[in-house]
Amino acid sequence: MTSLTDFYDAGGERKHFAEEFVQRAHSGNWEIAKDHWTRTVEHYGNSVQELEKLSKKEAREEAERLALVLCKTLAQAGKCWACKVGSRTVAV
């Protein structure tokens, strides 16, 4: 799985996502953000039936892609589906 650190180290748009996910959605807490990124990818990997038809590599990549779409959208709003930061809560 691609980690938030990997995204950050990649630079460009990937780095921007990592920064936004950590800073805006998790008030700068990298440990919580990393955990919630991992949980999001795992959630998709374990929940999306269509992934069962793919190879393990393809399923992992698709789970990451789906997680990235969700996490980017929520990070822009300063929210995370997996946590409550301050008074901001999001349910999926």
Side-chain angles (χ1 to χ4, degrees), residues 2-31:
T2 306
S3 70
L4 279 182
T5 303
D6 294 336
F7 282 117
Y8 185 85
D9 291 343
E13 183 63 30
R14 289 175 168 249
K15 180 178 180 178
H16 178 71
F17 159 69
E19 291 174 326
E20 196 166 57
F21 190 66
V22 172
Q23 296 303 321
R24 293 190 69 182
H26 295 94
S27 299
N29 189 319
W30 272 88
E31 292 305 311

Side-chain angles (χ1 to χ4, degrees), residues 23-87:
Q23 296 303 321
R24 293 190 69 182
H26 295 94
S27 299
N29 189 319
W30 272 88
E31 292 305 311
I32 292 173
K34 288 189 298 186
D35 177 60
H36 291 180
W37 167 252
T38 300
R39 288 174 53 194
T40 305
V41 175
E42 289 174 351
H43 172 75
Y44 279 114
N46 295 328
S47 303
V48 178
Q49 290 181 335
E50 288 79 9
L51 298 182
E52 294 174 7
K53 302 172 189 172
L54 303 174
S55 71
K56 285 186 180 192
K57 180 180 182 238
E58 291 171 326
R60 178 187 49 80
E61 290 171 352
E62 184 62 10
E64 284 185 22
R65 188 191 69 74
L66 292 168
L68 190 57
V69 169
L70 174 65
C71 290
K72 274 184 179 180
T73 302
L74 292 175
Q76 290 171 354
K79 300 177 181 180
C80 174
W81 72 273
C83 71
K84 180 178 179 180
V85 179
S87 62

